[in-house]
Structures are given as C-alpha cells and as structure tokens.
C-alpha cells in the first residue's frame, strides 16, 4: 500500500509567484514543483544535499547573503528571487572557474551537446573565460571493462559518490585530498577496474553531469546520461510503489 502523502502547510513567494510548501521542503524542491527553474550542478532529486557547487544560490528578502536553494528550508513568508543580475553574475563566475580549473575541451568530449556544465554556460551567456586556464595534468582511468573515468572532465560535484552510497549501497567512490589536488577515487585510490565493491550497475555514469564518467565505446558527442533515473529509484523506495517510468504522471 502506498504511503499517505503530506499536504503543504506554508507558503513562500518565488519570483513574485506564491508557492505552497511542505514542512521541511527546500527552496529548490519547492521551486521545481512550481515549475520555476533554478540551475544546479551537484543537486539531484533523490540524493542527499551536498551544497558544494553554489550554482543554485538565491536571494532571500532581508538577508544580504546568497543562500543555496538546495540547502535552505522554505519558511512561511519567505520572499525569494532566483534570477537577479547579481545571481547571474555569481553563477557565471562559478562556471568560468570550473572551465578554467579543468580541461573541458568540449569539441573532443563524449558529452559534447549533452553536458550540464556546457548547457549552463550557454544559458548564462559564457562566451569567454576571464580566468587563467590551469591545464592540470590529469589522467583517464579505463581499467573498468564497461566504463571510463576522465578526471579532466570531473567537477567534483559528488553525484556519483552519493549515488553509489545512497542508491546502490556500494560505496565505491570518494573524493580524496583537498584544494587543487582533490580528485575522485575508487575505494582506496585503486584503479576502478580493480574495485571489489563495484557492481557495474552504471548509476554513477547515468548521473554524471559532464563527460567525466562515460560508457566505453562512445565517441565525441555520443554519450547520454540519465540523471532522472536516480529520482525515480529514490521516489519508488520512499513511496513503496514501483511503476514503469513511462507510466509516471
């Protein structure tokens, strides 16, 4: 039997529109439900809150700081702005820094044309990078029989880490070190293909926002990810209902 669902018990204003919210609901979830888009890179429905990318920050009336919508609980009476000039500039700087920090050469990436970072740059009008490119010397792990990991494309959003731990329960991935030395590692920094915990389920690949995790054999522009499968699996578990995805309302 499906579990009973709660009713909204508070109201906020997002970009001038009244939105009813559930107790404990985040501003990001409330906005998504209301059809008000807020860009994200690390947040995915069905995963725990990371709050690391800072792309989803919004303005709340009466607070001079920018708040991450994914980690801010909607409180009755809040007045929220999601797309001011200040917010757009903030997001543009983040995207530019990500491009400068890694080796995101879209023209030779398997996810070219289907990359969330690339899409966000286009949406924000990023046509050049104002920061010095770092050109880090990072490698590619092709040790897994089915999948590859290109550290040059990784933005350390931790989606794969949380998906593996919270959805698959395998805990293969972690982020090691700090600062410029931070990197995604399998188990105790072993080649992915030597991991004894990996189930080869592919959920980490499906949820990757860039071309960092990819199916072997895909060429430039051929890789397609499927982040929505994570929300589907999490919702099915929470609600105790399993339907074909095509039957979802």
């Amino acid at each position: 039997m499906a579990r009973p669902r709660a009713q909204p018990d508070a109201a906020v204003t997002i970009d001038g529109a009244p939105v009813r919210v559930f107790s404990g609901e985040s501003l990001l979830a409330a906005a998504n439900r209301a059809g008000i888009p807020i860009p994200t890179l690390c947040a995915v429905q069905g995963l725990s809150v990371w709050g690391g990318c800072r792309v989803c920050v919004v303005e709340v009336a009466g607070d001079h700081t920018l708040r991450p919508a994914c980690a801010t609980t909607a409180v009755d009476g809040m007045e929220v702005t999601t797309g001011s000039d200040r917010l757009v500039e903030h997001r543009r700087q983040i995207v530019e820094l990500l491009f400068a920090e890694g080796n995101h050469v879209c023209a030779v990436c398997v996810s070219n044309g289907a990359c969330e970072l690339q899409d966000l740059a286009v949406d924000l009008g990023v046509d050049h990078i104002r920061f010095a490119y770092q050109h880090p010397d990072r490698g590619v792990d092709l040790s897994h029989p089915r999948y590859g990991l290109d550290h040059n494309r990784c933005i350390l959003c931790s989606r794969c880490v949380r998906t593996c731990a919270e959805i698959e329960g395998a805990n293969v991935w972690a982020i090691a070190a700090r600062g410029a030395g931070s990197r995604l590692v399998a188990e105790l920094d072993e080649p992915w293909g030597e991991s004894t915990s990996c189930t080869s389920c592919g959920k980490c690949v499906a949820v990757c926002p860039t071309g960092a995790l990819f199916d072997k054999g895909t060429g430039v522009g051929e890789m397609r990810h499927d982040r929505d499968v994570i929300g589907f699996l999490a919702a099915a578990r929470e609600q105790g209902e399993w339907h074909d995805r095509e039957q979802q309302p």
Side-chain angles (χ1 to χ4, degrees):
M1 177 180 294
R3 298 170 185 167
R5 299 178 181 178
Q7 295 297 316
D9 58 1
V12 300
T13 302
I14 303 179
D15 294 340
V19 178
R20 299 284 295 174
V21 298
F22 297 93
S23 176
E25 189 174 31
S26 71
L27 289 175
L28 179 63
N32 286 340
R33 231 178 359 87
I36 300 172
I38 298 177
T40 65
L41 283 175
C42 68
V44 170
Q45 183 181 1
L47 297 181
S48 61
V49 174
W50 174 257
C53 75
R54 316 305 284 185
V55 167
C56 72
V57 290
V58 296
E59 293 177 327
V60 176
D63 188 347
H64 71 281
T65 61
L66 301 181
R67 296 197 193 183
C70 67
T72 301
T73 301
V75 176
D76 191 47
M78 266 185 173
E79 297 180 13
V80 181
T81 300
T82 68
S84 66
D85 291 344
R86 178 190 182 198
L87 291 171
V88 170
E89 175 57 24
H90 177 87
R91 292 166 184 155
R92 185 176 294 160
Q93 286 192 19
I94 290 175
V95 169
E96 288 185 38
L97 286 167
L98 287 172
F99 273 95
E101 182 268 347
N103 293 309
H104 300 282
V105 185
C106 300
V108 293
C109 179
V110 294
S111 289
N112 186 18
C115 169
E116 294 183 43
L117 178 63
Q118 185 185 49
D119 290 344
L120 184 56
V122 172
D123 291 343
L124 293 170
V126 176
D127 54 9
H128 66 283
I129 306 300
R130 293 170 287 180
F131 306 99
Y133 286 99
Q134 301 303 300
H135 300 300
D137 183 13
R138 295 171 178 163
V140 179
D141 183 349
L142 296 175
S143 60
H144 194 284
R146 296 176 58 184
Y147 310 118
L149 164 59
D150 187 345
H151 290 280
N152 299 285
R153 317 287 190 193
C154 182
I155 58 173
L156 300 176
C157 65
S158 86
R159 284 187 187 182
C160 56
V161 178
R162 287 172 286 152
T163 295
C164 191
E166 299 167 13
I167 303 298
E168 182 63 10
N171 288 292
V172 172
W173 297 112
I175 295 177
R178 294 184 177 182
S182 299
R183 67 190 188 285
L184 183 66
V185 297
E187 297 191 343
L188 297 178
D189 202 4
E190 305 291 336
W192 188 3
E194 296 180 13
S195 167
T196 57
S197 301
C198 180
T199 63
S200 300
C201 69
K203 295 185 182 69
C204 57
V205 178
V207 80
C208 180
T210 68
L213 294 173
F214 57 90
D215 295 330
K216 276 188 171 179
T218 51
V220 173
E222 294 180 344
M223 185 65 205
R224 295 294 181 269
H225 301 281
D226 184 12
R227 59 182 281 180
D228 293 340
V229 70
I230 304 305
F232 165 74
L233 292 172
R237 289 180 181 175
E238 180 182 355
Q239 297 168 12
E241 293 180 295
W242 291 88
H243 302 287
D244 290 340
R245 294 176 68 187
E246 291 74 14
Q247 298 177 359
Q248 295 297 301

